[in-house]
Amino acid sequence: MGNPFSAFAGGSRGWRAGKPDEHKNTPPHISPVNTKFTLHSRSSNSGSSSPDAIGSQNMFATLMDADESAGHKTYAEEMSTEEVRSLVKNMLTAYVETQNEATLVDSFEQLGETNYSTAVYQAVDNIMDRRPDQAEQATNGMAVLAKHNVVSEDLAIAALAEYSSQLEDLLLDVPHAFQYFGMLMAATHVQMSRVSEAMGELMTKVDMLKPPTMSIVFAYLKHMAKTNGEESTRINIEETEFDVSQFLCLDHRSETDIKRVLGLQDLLSLFPKYAQVD
């Protein structure tokens, strides 16, 4: 079987602390609505601490050559998690190096819809394993797939909700895990009315002093404002009646508390009603 990504075997997994994954045999069990979704498990952290030494031009050429020799192979049958993980890692690495949207879209589509749900989950997992600069670029790649309607909102929400149960355990190795997650929510066009759905079981932890949902929603809003513009984001918040308080600590949801925390995050301009609170 021709593999358009085989030239990039290996990669950057393991830039973090390199600990064995404690959760590889205990995947979460969330059944998304109207989306075919398989159960997944995280891989162990192994490999080099940086991506393969393939220049962007060579990577692009190799990807295209391999793709051509494979005859634009589309995988109609369901692949193993390991196969999808490897392909997704390599296509995201190629995008980070080349920023070529057409190649990314074509590469993802070749996986076949049967493997889309697994691929989106593995994309989230792969981005968590990247350095901050690469994570942002790879997240932009997911935005490309969403823009071209390859990754639907339902598909993204299902993957994010399933992955959410791992975030707290990742913090030791990935200090920016919550920020990455919020960026991914915005990049994959998760609407404000469905933000809580994408956070999955994390919504049950708002009784904590600093719940994960708070950091995630702030990252989400900042990325929305950065990509769509502050004014557009503010209008969206008003039109959807987005209730930011539901993501904050249960004991700190007074208007004064909300104003203070939004101010600390430089997000007060998105919520004029709280800016007016004395």
Side-chain angles (χ1 to χ4, degrees), residues 82-128:
E82 285 298 328
E83 288 177 304
V84 177
R85 177 182 294 121
S86 178
L87 295 175
V88 167
K89 180 180 74 172
N90 294 332
M91 72 173 67
L92 286 178
T93 297
Y95 178 78
V96 168
E97 291 291 327
T98 67
Q99 304 295 302
N100 189 287
E101 294 189 8
T103 299
L104 176 64
V105 171
D106 184 59
S107 299
F108 196 93
E109 288 180 335
Q110 287 180 52
L111 294 174
E113 292 187 10
T114 303
N115 297 297
Y116 277 10
S117 60
T118 305
V120 176
Y121 182 96
Q122 292 303 325
V124 175
D125 188 54
N126 179 267
I127 288 171
M128 292 293 167

Side-chain angles (χ1 to χ4, degrees), residues 167-243:
L167 286 181
E168 291 180 286
D169 292 332
L170 287 178
L171 282 180
L172 181 62
D173 291 334
V174 190
H176 302 294
F178 294 159
Q179 286 71 32
Y180 289 177
F181 197 84
M183 287 169 51
L184 277 164
M185 284 171 43
T188 53
H189 300 177
V190 173
Q191 298 299 306
M192 291 188 178
S193 60
R194 303 187 69 184
V195 167
S196 59
E197 187 180 350
M199 291 196 196
E201 65 180 51
L202 290 177
M203 290 300 298
T204 66
K205 301 186 177 184
V206 291
D207 56 340
M208 299 171 60
L209 182 60
K210 292 185 178 180
T213 52
M214 184 170 69
S215 297
I216 292 171
V217 77
F218 291 157
Y220 168 80
L221 291 170
K222 289 177 181 179
H223 198 77
M224 291 284 283
K226 179 180 178 181
T227 55
N228 301 330
E230 186 173 299
E231 181 64 13
S232 177
T233 302
R234 183 187 62 75
I235 292 174
N236 194 2
I237 289 171
E238 292 180 354
E239 290 181 345
T240 59
E241 299 182 348
F242 183 68
D243 180 16

Side-chain angles (χ1 to χ4, degrees), residues 10 38 46 62 66-67 115 124 144 155 163 174 190 198 202 209 235 251:
T38 55
S46 60
T62 304
D67 183 39
N115 297 297
V124 175
V144 169
L155 200 61
Y163 198 90
V174 190
V190 173
L202 290 177
L209 182 60
I235 292 174
D251 295 331

Side-chain angles (χ1 to χ4, degrees), residues 245-264:
S245 68
Q246 66 183 305
F247 306 103
L248 308 184
C249 174
L250 278 173
D251 295 331
H252 295 85
R253 292 184 178 180
S254 69
E255 290 189 341
T256 301
D257 288 331
I258 295 172
K259 176 181 180 179
R260 178 182 59 80
V261 73
L262 289 175
L264 290 173

